[in-house]
Amino acid sequence: MLTVNRVYDLLLREYGPQHWWPGRTDFEVAIGAILTQSVSWKNVESAIRTLRGERLLHPRRLHALGARELAPLIRPTGYFNQKAKKLLNFLDWFRGYGYSFAKAAGADTAILREELLAVNGIGPETADSILLYAMGRKVFVVDAYTRRVFTRLGILLGSESYDAIQRMFHARFRGGVPEYNEYHALIVNHGKEVCRKRPLCGRCRLARACPSRVSESDPAASITRTAG
Ligand code: SF4
């Protein structure tokens, strides 16, 4: 069976560095992590362009808006009324650090994670994306692609909790922050491009060692370890 370290090496060799997370500043990365919930990145880019055009990619200026003013500006991201409230909730938390990730530099990662998870509208994936990509903390981001790919590879059962999957990566993956950053991006790319809901196993670098591989020339073949 493949190990998580071997999967990383193979995916990196296949796709190369992904240069995540797209964003000009750490604050923009954090905003993007909230806005991308349940929507494609293309829509997030559109909202971020609007915010930039309005000179609102600045925490104090953004926080000065009410949800009613903010919501129309992020309309392309869907659920924009809810997301406006989530952004403002996040900014309430961020104000506690003087609107500066640098001022949170001395804070313990576990405490920061607890605080972020206590923000209404921020779940584990968003909290961990902010911690890893905006704050440079060594936390593995788990998403639906992670669950799907690693279940198909036989490394996960598919029924594990978010935290159990994260603990597995923390225990087994040898990388530091740059590799954690890269690995999540590679998994997302692999899940979108190859290990799709209907996987393109014929194009997969992991296929030789994957117990779930299917032959694309065999229309009767179906994948058994799907997990999403
Ligand atoms: S061989 Fe198929 S099922 Fe296995 S990881 Fe690759 S694309 Fe996914």
Side-chain angles (χ1 to χ4, degrees), residues 84-127:
K85 288 181 188 149
K86 290 179 185 184
L87 283 180
L88 294 173
N89 293 340
F90 165 75
L91 286 160
D92 288 342
W93 170 80
F94 201 32
R95 179 172 49 197
Y97 288 98
Y99 298 109
S100 164
F101 286 122
K103 288 187 180 155
D108 182 76
T109 300
I111 302 284
L112 289 170
R113 189 171 193 266
E114 264 178 43
E115 290 176 357
L116 283 168
L117 289 174
V119 173
N120 195 353
I122 293 192
E125 185 183 336
T126 305

Side-chain angles (χ1 to χ4, degrees), residues 136-211:
R137 302 301 177 116
K138 191 177 165 184
V139 290
F140 204 89
V141 179
V142 176
D143 68 352
Y145 295 120
T146 313
R147 189 181 292 276
R148 178 200 289 167
V149 171
F150 286 85
T151 300
R152 287 174 174 175
L153 290 172
I155 294 173
L156 293 175
L157 295 173
S159 55
E160 294 90 341
S161 67
Y162 182 103
D163 288 348
I165 295 173
Q166 186 180 60
R167 277 197 301 275
M168 186 278 288
F169 278 97
H170 285 179
R172 297 190 197 173
F173 183 45
R174 60 165 183 256
V177 171
E179 290 77 23
Y180 273 45
N181 175 327
E182 197 65 71
Y183 205 168
H184 175 61
L186 288 165
I187 292 166
V188 170
N189 191 58
H190 186 60
K192 279 185 178 167
E193 301 298 327
V194 177
C195 196
R196 300 175 177 176
K197 205 158 194 171
R198 293 180 71 84
L200 304 175
C201 301
R203 287 174 43 191
C204 182
R205 171 71 78 131
L206 312 176
R208 279 179 58 190
C210 178

